[in-house]
């Protein structure tokens, strides 16, 4: 354990609002901790952006959260986890501060999926960037080499959610189209990972078009459980995490706009501060 370092909140980063679904589960399971959420809404979505740009934006956010006292940052964004996490862990942390940690959402999901699937055929619905990165394929096959992973990109799902159209009849068309495409590619799939933190808001519609016997796997509960296990295994990091049950919200967009949308995810009013990243 490192003495004399001030405690800080657990940082939670996402390109937009989706990471709030992860934060909600973390606060439900681990309410005693302090959290600091940062949404880079002004530059969202990250899904279609290049690896270099996602890395640059994610690094800026991580550095900002470190500067605000976070010792541990969770990338509650699949695109950032897919395109930036490894580089930040391997190249940046040793230079910035070897004692700080950045974790993602893909590995906790990969760890649990092998215990869920029976047919050993798994589907992934995610953004274009996450599917193209093949991060889920690589992480799952590292842990479960016998599992076949099939991914389908859902480029319009995030805009539907962020424009508050996720609960309209028009959303059904786009949800059914992608679910049908996934099952057509591999009819033996029995478990489907929602590989974007926004997608739980579409869960009712997703379940509506999911074939009988196929399990949908949202990430929040597994990421929250993984965080609890991580802190139990790393008491030195746990000691650096403040525990007053507080939660602050930062956005690079309008605070009022973020607060309005965040209420949908968090089921409570939130106080938000606008900050800048980058130049």
């Amino acid at each position: 354990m490192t003495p004399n370092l001030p405690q800080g909140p657990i940082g939670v980063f996402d390109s937009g609002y989706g990471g709030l679904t992860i934060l909600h589960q973390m606060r439900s399971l681990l309410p005693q901790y302090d959290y600091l959420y940062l949404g880079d809404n002004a530059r969202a979505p990250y899904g279609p952006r290049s690896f270099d740009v996602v890395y640059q934006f994610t690094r800026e956010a991580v550095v900002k959260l470190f500067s605000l006292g976070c010792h541990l940052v969770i990338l509650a964004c699949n695109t950032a986890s897919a395109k930036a996490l490894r580089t930040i862990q391997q190249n940046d942390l040793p230079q910035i501060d070897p004692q700080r940690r950045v974790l993602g959402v893909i590995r906790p999901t990969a760890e649990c999926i092998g215990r869920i699937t029976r047919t050993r055929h798994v589907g992934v619905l995610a953004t274009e960037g996450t599917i193209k990165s093949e991060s889920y394929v690589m992480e799952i096959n590292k842990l479960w080499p016998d599992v076949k992973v099939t991914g389908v990109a859902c480029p319009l799902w995030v805009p539907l959610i962020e424009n508050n159209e996720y609960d309209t009849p028009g959303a059904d068309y786009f949800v059914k189209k992608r679910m049908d495409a996934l099952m057509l590619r591999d009819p033996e799939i029995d478990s489907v990972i929602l590989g974007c933190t926004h997608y739980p808001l579409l869960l009712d519609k997703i379940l509506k078009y999911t074939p009988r016997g196929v399990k949908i796997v949202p990430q929040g509960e597994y990421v929250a459980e993984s965080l609890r296990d991580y802190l139990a295994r790393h008491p030195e990091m746990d000691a650096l995490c403040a525990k007053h049950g507080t939660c602050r919200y930062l956005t690079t967009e309008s605070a009022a706009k973020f607060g309005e949308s965040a209420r949908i995810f968090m089921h409570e009013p939130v106080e938000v501060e606008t900050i800048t990243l980058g130049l």
Side-chain angles (χ1 to χ4, degrees), residues 88-257:
I88 288 172
Q89 287 176 331
Q90 294 179 352
N91 297 354
D92 294 311
L93 283 183
Q95 297 174 29
I96 297 170
D97 186 344
Q99 294 175 325
R100 297 186 196 252
R101 292 291 179 267
V102 181
L103 305 175
V105 291
I106 293 176
R107 187 169 180 87
T109 315
E111 286 172 349
C112 77
I113 199 66
R115 296 187 290 271
I116 294 171
T117 177
R118 295 289 173 263
T119 64
R120 317 311 282 171
H121 289 252
V122 169
V124 179
L125 297 169
T127 65
E128 184 181 358
T130 298
I131 296 298
K132 281 186 175 177
S133 75
E134 297 198 334
S135 295
Y136 272 99
V137 179
M138 291 186 285
E139 287 295 334
I140 291 171
N141 286 157
K142 271 188 219 168
L143 300 165
W144 315 100
D146 62 320
V147 173
K148 179 185 177 185
V149 184
T150 303
V152 166
C154 309
L156 293 176
W157 287 17
V158 169
L160 279 171
I161 293 163
E162 298 218 334
N163 288 288
N164 208 19
E165 295 287 330
Y166 65 93
D167 203 24
T168 63
D172 285 65
Y173 169 80
F174 296 103
V175 171
K176 183 179 187 303
K177 183 178 181 181
R178 296 302 174 180
M179 181 57 75
D180 287 351
L182 180 65
M183 298 310 299
L184 189 64
R185 288 192 189 179
D186 184 357
E188 293 185 62
I189 287 171
D190 73 343
S191 308
V192 177
I193 294 168
L194 300 187
C196 173
T197 52
H198 283 69
Y199 293 177
L201 265 74
L202 284 166
L203 188 57
D204 287 346
K205 292 193 185 299
I206 292 168
L207 290 172
K208 184 176 173 182
Y209 299 109
T210 300
R212 196 176 209 171
V214 175
K215 181 175 176 61
I216 298 298
V217 184
Q219 296 177 293
E221 61 186 277
Y222 299 104
V223 174
E225 287 168 6
S226 179
L227 174 61
R228 180 178 61 184
D229 293 345
Y230 178 85
L231 292 170
R233 287 184 286 106
H234 296 86
E236 73 288 351
M237 179 57 73
D238 184 68
L240 291 171
C241 295
K243 301 174 185 69
H244 306 102
T246 67
C247 190
R248 290 174 57 207
Y249 299 86
L250 307 175
T251 178
T252 55
E253 240 277 5
S254 154
K257 182 180 176 185

Side-chain angles (χ1 to χ4, degrees), residues 51-66:
F51 273 73
D52 288 345
V53 169
V54 171
Y55 161 67
Q56 176 195 327
F57 288 178
T58 305
R59 186 186 188 281
E60 289 170 3
V62 167
V63 169
K64 182 69 173 180
L65 287 167
F66 285 167

Side-chain angles (χ1 to χ4, degrees), residues 21-81:
T21 62
I22 302 291
L23 176 64
H24 181 68
Q25 292 288 343
M26 288 177 181
R27 291 185 69 200
S28 297
L29 187 67
L30 301 164
Q32 69 272 34
Y33 290 89
D34 292 2
Y35 297 92
L36 178 57
Y37 184 90
L38 170 54
D40 190 11
N41 303 79
R43 302 189 291 194
Y46 279 16
R49 294 187 182 273
S50 69
F51 273 73
D52 288 345
V53 169
V54 171
Y55 161 67
Q56 176 195 327
F57 288 178
T58 305
R59 186 186 188 281
E60 289 170 3
V62 167
V63 169
K64 182 69 173 180
L65 287 167
F66 285 167
S67 76
L68 294 170
C70 299
H71 300 280
L72 172 64
V73 173
I74 310 297
L75 301 186
C77 172
N78 283 270
T79 303
S81 296

